[in-house]
Amino acid sequence: MSSAPLLPAGASETNDDSYYCGVPKSMLFKTGVDGLSEEEAERRLEKFGPNQLAEKKENPFLKLLLAFVSPMAIMIWIAIAIEAVIKDWPDFGVLLTLQVLNSVVGWFEDWKAGNAVSALKNALKPECQVIRGGQHKKMDATLLVPGDRVTLAAGAAVPADCEICEGKPIQVDQAALTGESLPVTLACGDSAKMGSNVTRGEIEAIVTATGGETFFGKTAAMIASVDEQGHFQKVILQITFGLLCVSFVLTGIVLGYLLLNGEDVLQAIAFAVVLLIASIPIAMQVVCTSTMALGCRMLADEKAIVSRLTSIEELASMNMLCSDKTGTLTMNKMELQDDLPMWTAGITRLDVLEAACLAAKWREPAKDAIDTLVLKAIPLKPLDRYQQIEYEPFDPSTKYTEATLKDDKGYVFKVMKGAPQVVLSKCHNRAQIGASVDAKIMELASRGIRGLAVARTNPKEQWELMGILTFLDPPRPDTRATIEKAYDYGIDVKMITGDQQTL
């Protein structure tokens, strides 16, 4: 790599799409097969920073000091000062103890929860396969820089936003980003997003964005930008100020009554002060903080991680639960359904399933979610009577898989499985069955069920649609009970999914 400066003159001033953080993309992303040199990688790491999301760092001791000057704390300080003026030292000591307990307990629980989250993040540091100076090596994904050449292999997470290089397409699970149950196929020039996982294949890619510049990072930044006072603090302040207003009015009435009845001014004021202090809800914050601290410990026993103490109350006060579908309400695992519509006379469900298995490498381990689904549906030993002459794997441009086979009697035929519309377009009788097939596909989609068409050739070498395998991502065993319990608590439940509109 060249040692020329990354920033040409004036580059940092532009927001053109051809620039990345003020640097021309043409300089960053044209990485050769040997990858970046270690020296160039260090320069870029210094320029663009580590491949991790920015976090707000808070000084724990400053946070403790701020806990002593919150609106509720200030009211207690005023009460403490009044007790000191009238030299009521027992009450002075009680109020001071409550003030310290109130601030320290909440701060300590928040600090401990923050440490637990940090420890979890450190334990889950991602790794990646990168090419540096012609050497393939495994390293901490936070050290990736734009322009790095990485290897994306099955089972690995995509460590940053990457552009796929030349090679065989890979399949990527983007359920965490889009909610889509099935993996998507990415080929040369496509973009793989940070937060997704490779499920099939292996290919090299060029890192095009890291950290906060990734799609995932920008989304997280938008969420983090919402910084408003918590619901718990709002409720506490509303109650406190409401009670204070009532206390001041009633104390004023009592003070006026005493003065009008000839009471000594100092004694009347002292009595009014005692009454005012007694009416201030001093212990309310302490009681609430202690209750939430106990709740935090109970949640910890259930293996839950509480990042903020007030989040317990905020969760308890929600009135709508917006839930992801894939992997949250569902198993994120496709299952075949009993419904199997057929359009060829004289065949059975087993015939359709056998044809679907023959349109795969049934003697080898399944290579994608669809093959896994089909090959587990029936015993595979009886299929050994067939010889697979040719096999055409799934191609995202054609959307089907095709195989040529010969049975033990020497009869040669072809089988195909793929997208229903694509398979239907190859059938000789599509004009006669097209309307019924389309209607069935829409009916299945309206129930959230996907379809996989299976066809084979007849003796005239014409394609005939055998049937449509139906499958869906089933709900988790506890989904129904969880939703019913939410309704019992008065919480409305909404499902947020990335599925197509027909699903």
Side-chain angles (χ1 to χ4, degrees):
M1 295 294 297
S2 169
S3 60
L6 284 173
L7 283 173
S12 60
E13 301 295 330
T14 182
N15 291 320
D16 197 306
D17 287 340
S18 61
Y19 287 78
Y20 175 83
C21 294
V23 182
K25 292 182 179 179
S26 58
M27 293 180 61
L28 288 176
F29 304 147
K30 289 187 177 180
T31 306
V33 293
D34 291 336
L36 300 177
S37 66
E38 290 293 348
E39 294 77 12
E40 179 66 16
E42 289 179 5
R43 292 171 58 205
R44 297 189 182 195
L45 183 62
E46 183 179 355
K47 165 64 183 172
F48 300 111
N51 179 35
Q52 59 186 17
L53 303 183
E55 296 183 12
K56 292 182 179 179
K57 297 281 187 178
E58 292 184 337
N59 187 318
F61 298 104
L62 178 60
K63 194 172 182 180
L64 176 60
L65 292 176
L66 291 176
F68 284 98
V69 292
S70 65
M72 189 66 197
I74 291 175
M75 296 175 193
I76 300 178
W77 284 124
I78 294 173
I80 292 173
I82 294 174
E83 293 291 353
V85 170
I86 64 176
K87 298 181 180 181
D88 189 347
W89 303 118
D91 287 346
F92 173 87
V94 171
L95 291 175
L96 187 60
T97 302
L98 286 174
Q99 178 76 302
V100 173
L101 284 176
N102 179 47
S103 300
V104 172
V105 169
W107 168 83
F108 177 73
E109 291 294 338
D110 279 341
W111 173 75
K112 189 171 63 174
N115 288 345
V117 174
S118 298
L120 181 63
K121 288 181 179 179
N122 292 332
L124 298 176
K125 274 190 175 180
E127 292 185 335
C128 65
Q129 293 280 352
V130 67
I131 304 173
R132 292 269 178 92
Q135 300 293 321
H136 292 253
K137 64 178 184 177
K138 182 180 289 187
M139 73 172 197
D140 187 348
T142 60
L143 301 178
L144 281 179
V145 296
D148 255 327
R149 197 177 187 94
V150 297
T151 301
L152 303 180
V158 178
D161 285 2
C162 304
E163 183 176 315
I164 306 299
C165 297
E166 292 185 2
K168 291 185 178 180
I170 61 173
Q171 291 191 333
V172 178
D173 179 7
Q174 297 182 329
L177 301 176
T178 65
E180 178 59 48
S181 303
L182 292 175
V184 297
T185 302
L186 300 181
C188 180
D190 292 334
S191 179
K193 302 297 185 184
M194 180 182 186
S196 54
N197 295 279
V198 182
T199 59
R200 180 182 180 184
E202 181 174 326
I203 201 169
E204 293 180 0
I206 304 298
V207 175
T208 57
T210 59
E213 294 299 320
T214 62
F215 174 82
F216 189 84
K218 291 178 179 178
T219 304
M222 290 176 61
I223 297 173
S225 64
V226 180
D227 186 17
E228 63 176 10
Q229 193 176 47
H231 181 264
F232 173 72
Q233 295 296 334
K234 290 180 180 178
V235 171
I236 290 293
L237 288 176
Q238 288 174 357
I239 294 174
T240 302
F241 284 123
L243 292 175
L244 276 177
C245 291
V246 173
S247 298
F248 275 114
V249 171
L250 295 178
T251 303
I253 294 173
V254 170
L255 180 61
Y257 176 81
L258 292 174
L259 293 176
L260 290 174
N261 283 274
E263 288 287 341
D264 182 72
V265 175
L266 290 178
Q267 289 184 350
I269 293 176
F271 179 81
V273 167
V274 171
L275 183 61
L276 181 62
I277 293 174
S279 63
I280 296 176
I282 295 173
M284 182 171 62
Q285 182 82 3
V286 179
V287 172
C288 293
T289 301
S290 301
T291 302
M292 288 190 295
L294 291 173
C296 179
R297 294 182 181 277
M298 292 175 65
L299 289 173
D301 292 338
E302 298 293 333
K303 310 302 180 185
I305 296 176
V306 182
S307 60
R308 290 185 301 112
L309 202 61
T310 56
S311 64
I312 299 174
E313 191 278 336
E314 290 172 3
L315 178 64
S317 64
M318 71 174 177
N319 53 23
M320 180 176 291
L321 173 62
C322 295
S323 174
D324 176 39
K325 177 179 75 72
T326 307
T328 304
L329 298 177
T330 67
M331 299 288 289
N332 196 17
K333 180 181 179 181
M334 290 295 176
E335 288 186 1
L336 276 174
Q337 303 301 296
D338 294 333
D339 189 6
L340 202 167
M342 291 176 279
W343 282 268
T344 299
I347 64 171
T348 64
R349 176 185 177 88
L350 180 61
D351 294 330
V352 180
L353 290 172
E354 282 191 350
C357 293
L358 292 174
K361 292 278 189 179
W362 74 88
R363 292 186 177 92
E364 301 177 5
K367 295 180 175 63
D368 58 35
I370 294 296
D371 282 353
T372 301
L373 184 76
V374 171
L375 296 178
K376 288 184 176 181
I378 60 172
L380 301 180
K381 189 66 176 176
L383 302 183
D384 290 340
R385 68 182 186 274
Y386 296 101
Q387 177 187 352
Q388 195 173 76
I389 302 172
E390 293 181 5
Y391 177 70
E392 183 179 336
F394 180 81
D395 187 327
S397 62
T398 60
K399 298 183 179 180
Y400 67 83
T401 299
E402 183 180 319
T404 303
L405 301 114
K406 183 168 65 174
D407 64 15
D408 51 5
K409 297 179 181 179
Y411 176 66
V412 178
F413 63 97
K414 293 182 178 181
V415 292
M416 175 195 299
K417 70 175 186 290
Q421 293 87 348
V422 175
V423 175
L424 176 63
S425 67
K426 296 181 177 294
C427 295
H428 73 96
N429 59 340
R430 57 184 174 277
Q432 290 77 28
I433 66 174
S436 63
V437 173
D438 290 340
K440 187 62 179 179
I441 293 172
M442 293 303 297
E443 186 263 327
L444 292 172
S446 67
R447 294 189 285 133
I449 299 177
R450 301 172 185 270
L452 180 72
V454 181
R456 65 175 292 170
T457 55
N458 58 24
K460 297 180 181 180
E461 296 187 355
Q462 297 173 321
W463 284 105
E464 291 184 345
L465 180 64
M466 299 180 70
I468 296 180
L469 299 178
T470 59
F471 53 95
L472 55 73
D473 186 4
R476 295 170 62 94
D478 57 349
T479 295
R480 182 185 180 93
T482 302
I483 294 176
E484 288 178 347
K485 185 175 291 185
Y487 284 138
D488 290 341
Y489 289 141
I491 301 171
D492 196 11
V493 181
K494 300 294 182 182
M495 181 180 73
I496 299 176
T497 178
D499 281 340
Q500 297 179 4
Q501 186 174 0
T502 53
L503 295 180

